[in-house]
Amino acid sequence: MVELILSDSDFVAAIGVGTTARYLTCNGLLQRAEIAVKNRLTAVIDQFQPSGTSNWTQGIRMAFQSYEMSEEAELSAGCRRVLVIFTDETSQDLDKVITQYDPKRKVRVYVFSFKRNEGLFQDKLSKLACLYNGVYMKILYFGQIGDALQNIVQAETMHLNNKQIEPTWSNVYKDLNGFGFVLTVTLPW
């Protein structure tokens, strides 16, 4: 999945959130999403096991620390920041937590909910994504990530010429350079 989301020019860090939050990659510093980093990230995510009630306050604080540490170390291009949250829903008010670190709402927040039933907190998570110019998507199974990514690309390109730009998606194909299965998108700028 990671190879479908990230290009080599992206920077990435991952945080696993359970009863405690911990960096899943390189002590929280953003890293260029090269093949080796994507492979390590995929392995770490596959092995991650959440436990108990998620400590989102700690996880979000660590995410914003990653942004700051990486800028200080000049490890990112300083472009658009995106916070992607995968959850089975939460009772915590994530807006209050994120606002502590991003009061001007410059970070886009994308929320993917794996809850099968209509959850008590679905409206809260949907509003959170809306407040931070992101997308809320309910996902029934992990394979729906591709559809979710199409929604993100459409949301990210809506500002161009004040109209929605239709990206062109390729079919999934096996890359000859060892990337595995690849899906590409072309955005008309």
Side-chain angles (χ1 to χ4, degrees), residues 155-175:
E156 289 292 319
T157 58
M158 273 193 241
H159 69 283
L160 300 173
N161 298 324
N162 293 326
K163 64 179 180 177
Q164 187 165 346
I165 303 296
E166 288 296 322
T168 303
W169 290 85
S170 74
N171 292 324
V172 176
Y173 60 92
K174 187 159 177 76
D175 182 74

Side-chain angles (χ1 to χ4, degrees), residues 15-84:
I15 299 166
V17 180
T19 52
T20 62
R22 64 184 176 95
Y23 291 114
L24 300 178
T25 55
C26 198
N27 298 322
L29 289 175
L30 294 175
Q31 295 179 288
R32 186 174 293 279
E34 296 168 339
I35 295 171
V37 172
K38 290 179 195 179
N39 290 340
R40 277 196 315 269
L41 184 58
T42 298
V44 168
I45 289 172
D46 287 344
Q47 294 172 2
F48 178 73
Q49 294 294 317
S51 60
T53 303
S54 297
N55 186 341
W56 285 107
T57 301
Q58 184 182 14
I60 290 170
R61 177 181 47 80
M62 291 170 71
F64 281 94
Q65 286 174 342
S66 284
Y67 293 142
E68 291 170 16
M69 289 186 304
S70 297
E71 279 186 9
E72 289 170 6
E74 297 181 0
L75 293 175
S76 75
C79 297
R80 183 170 295 154
R81 293 178 176 184
V82 176
L83 181 62
V84 181

Side-chain angles (χ1 to χ4, degrees), residues 53-189:
T53 303
S54 297
N55 186 341
W56 285 107
T57 301
Q58 184 182 14
I60 290 170
R61 177 181 47 80
M62 291 170 71
F64 281 94
Q65 286 174 342
S66 284
Y67 293 142
E68 291 170 16
M69 289 186 304
S70 297
E71 279 186 9
E72 289 170 6
E74 297 181 0
L75 293 175
S76 75
C79 297
R80 183 170 295 154
R81 293 178 176 184
V82 176
L83 181 62
V84 181
I85 298 172
F86 293 94
T87 182
D88 60 353
E89 299 199 356
T90 178
S91 60
Q92 295 178 27
D93 190 349
L94 299 183
D95 180 32
K96 286 183 181 177
V97 178
I98 295 171
T99 300
Q100 291 175 0
Y101 303 100
D102 185 27
K104 294 182 181 178
R105 295 188 172 144
K106 292 183 177 182
V107 172
R108 291 181 184 257
V109 177
Y110 294 90
V111 181
F112 298 96
S113 173
F114 286 94
K115 193 77 170 183
R116 291 194 181 273
N117 302 317
E118 292 299 318
L120 296 171
F121 307 105
Q122 183 175 339
D123 286 344
K124 187 183 285 190
L125 292 171
S126 178
K127 288 177 185 173
L128 175 73
C130 187
L131 281 172
Y132 288 88
N133 297 313
V135 172
Y136 169 83
M137 183 148 190
K138 189 173 174 180
I139 298 176
L140 297 179
Y141 54 92
F142 209 63
Q144 287 182 305
I145 294 291
D147 293 337
L149 293 175
Q150 286 183 331
N151 287 344
I152 289 175
V153 170
Q154 287 177 347
E156 289 292 319
T157 58
M158 273 193 241
H159 69 283
L160 300 173
N161 298 324
N162 293 326
K163 64 179 180 177
Q164 187 165 346
I165 303 296
E166 288 296 322
T168 303
W169 290 85
S170 74
N171 292 324
V172 176
Y173 60 92
K174 187 159 177 76
D175 182 74
L176 298 175
N177 295 315
F179 290 113
F181 289 104
V182 179
L183 175 72
T184 58
V185 61
T186 303
L187 301 173
W189 295 94

